[in-house]
Amino acid sequence: MNQEQAGQEVMRLADTWATAELQGDVAFLERTLADDFIGVGPLGFLLSKQEWLARLQSGDMKYTAHTLDEVRVRAYTETAILIGRLTQEAVYRGNPINAQMRTTLVFVQQHGHWQLAGLHLCNIGQPPPFARP
């Protein structure tokens, strides 16, 4: 598989991941997240695969929107890095967490299949006044 094909495959998988999060499809996420998956939340906290899945299994995290756009993928031999914008409307333990976040998804190819090994979320804001042109 060439880099372009790998990039397209990862983009499709990322879209399917976003839909699985929206729908609470824990079975899909269980298969797709690497065993050593680490998620970095928008405030810097870390979640293991088990902790990530538990948010949905418990019903603590409920999405009404979870979409990826502004996506760019860089594919390598057995790794692909996707950077995009994640827009979510969600409730966590009764608290709204609606946001637009920049996200980095790291995919690795293991046993002939792409898996999500890590993700990092950060809220999108404007540069501070001293950094603006």
Side-chain angles (χ1 to χ4, degrees):
M1 174 180 309
N2 67 35
Q3 289 181 334
E4 184 177 333
Q5 290 170 321
Q8 291 172 355
E9 193 172 312
V10 164
M11 286 179 73
R12 284 190 299 273
L13 180 56
D15 283 339
T16 305
W17 164 79
T19 301
E21 287 281 337
L22 174 65
Q23 297 173 347
D25 187 347
V26 175
F28 174 83
L29 295 170
E30 174 72 36
R31 291 188 312 271
T32 303
L33 301 183
D35 289 340
D36 60 352
F37 168 87
I38 296 290
V40 181
L43 300 176
F45 56 88
L46 302 176
L47 296 174
S48 68
K49 177 179 181 174
Q50 294 73 26
E51 292 166 327
W52 190 269
L53 296 173
R55 303 167 314 123
L56 297 170
Q57 290 168 322
S58 67
D60 286 346
M61 176 68 94
K62 295 178 183 169
Y63 295 101
T64 55
H66 193 266
T67 58
L68 270 175
D69 65 358
E70 298 182 8
V71 172
R72 288 184 267 173
V73 176
R74 295 187 325 256
Y76 303 94
T77 306
E78 295 181 349
T79 306
I81 300 168
L82 180 148
I83 297 174
R85 179 178 64 178
L86 177 69
T87 302
Q88 76 173 28
E89 293 177 13
V91 175
Y92 182 73
R93 295 184 177 170
N95 299 290
I97 50 171
N98 302 333
Q100 284 193 356
M101 296 174 279
R102 191 64 60 203
T103 186
T104 302
L105 305 174
V106 178
F107 293 91
V108 295
Q109 196 167 51
Q110 296 181 340
H111 312 293
H113 301 284
W114 288 104
Q115 289 194 297
L116 182 56
L119 70 83
H120 186 266
L121 301 166
C122 70
N123 290 312
I124 296 176
Q126 296 298 315
F130 62 83
R132 293 183 192 146

